[in-house]
Amino acid sequence: MDYLSKINQLQEHGEGYSIDYLPLQCLDERYDDLEVTNFENRLETFSEKIARIARTFIRRYGNRIFLHEGSQDKCLSLCKEGADLIDQTIKSILEKEQTSLNIIFENTKDMLFSLDSFCQLNIYNPDEEQLELLEDLAAEENLYLKRI
């Protein structure tokens, strides 16, 4: 199976979660305004938080990383390149439109991290151990893990 098919399969059929600045339900009627404010004013901080979570999973579970820009797809080896490239890539994706980063973790069962310019990290098909780690890391970064 090629990687695009695997990504599509995980997104369509895998159990999904999202890591975001805001909880799933917000009592404030200005939820959308809060989301825009977070995106405009806290993008760099958010990208740093997401990068730390991604690096933890990359070190623990290994990966295959796919970057999609416009109509181009390329496979990256961020594990070999180091933390700075991971940080730069994540920040760049959150700032651009038409760009996404997909990280497939294949060690136990396939799990997918999917990041795009909508300023949230979506996670598909984590096992129990990975889900517990996601909950812990999101809490450490003062972010919310939500089921989607």
Side-chain angles (χ1 to χ4, degrees):
M1 177 183 301
D2 71 350
Y3 74 89
L4 284 176
S5 297
K6 186 177 275 194
I7 289 167
N8 287 334
Q9 179 184 8
L10 287 167
Q11 288 175 332
E12 290 174 12
H13 303 292
E15 186 175 338
Y17 296 86
S18 175
I19 293 180
D20 199 351
Y21 262 119
L22 298 175
L24 187 58
Q25 293 182 332
C26 188
L27 297 177
D28 195 317
E29 60 194 35
R30 298 171 300 142
Y31 183 89
D32 292 334
D33 295 337
L34 290 169
E35 198 162 47
V36 169
T37 300
N38 279 326
F39 182 75
E40 290 173 351
N41 298 320
R42 298 181 181 168
L43 181 62
E44 189 165 334
T45 303
F46 182 71
S47 68
E48 290 168 0
K49 291 175 181 216
I50 294 299
R52 283 192 291 270
I53 292 170
R55 284 195 314 265
T56 299
F57 270 81
I58 288 168
R59 284 192 305 269
R60 185 171 286 197
Y61 297 106
N63 62 81
R64 288 178 50 202
I65 299 175
F66 306 98
L67 177 66
H68 176 80
E69 288 188 280
S71 61
Q72 285 189 315
D73 290 318
K74 51 187 163 184
C75 183
L76 302 176
S77 181
L78 294 183
C79 232
K80 295 177 184 171
E81 301 295 334
D84 288 343
L85 184 57
I86 294 169
D87 295 353
Q88 292 168 355
T89 302
I90 288 173
K91 184 176 182 205
S92 172
I93 287 164
L94 292 173
E95 290 175 344
K96 292 181 183 178
E97 293 182 21
Q98 304 296 318
T99 304
S100 65
L101 177 71
N102 292 290
I103 305 172
I104 298 175
F105 299 93
E106 301 175 304
N107 283 357
T108 52
K109 66 176 189 172
D110 290 343
M111 180 182 68
L112 173 68
F113 273 22
S114 185
L115 180 69
D116 57 29
S117 58
F118 295 112
C119 211
Q120 67 184 18
L121 173 64
N122 292 326
I123 302 103
Y124 299 93
N125 208 36
D127 62 26
E128 283 185 39
E129 175 188 314
Q130 293 164 334
L131 186 56
E132 284 179 30
L133 181 57
L134 282 168
E135 290 171 342
D136 292 344
L137 293 172
E140 283 177 20
E141 296 292 349
N142 202 22
L143 298 171
Y144 294 93
L145 179 66
K146 317 181 255 194
R147 190 168 187 165
I148 52 174

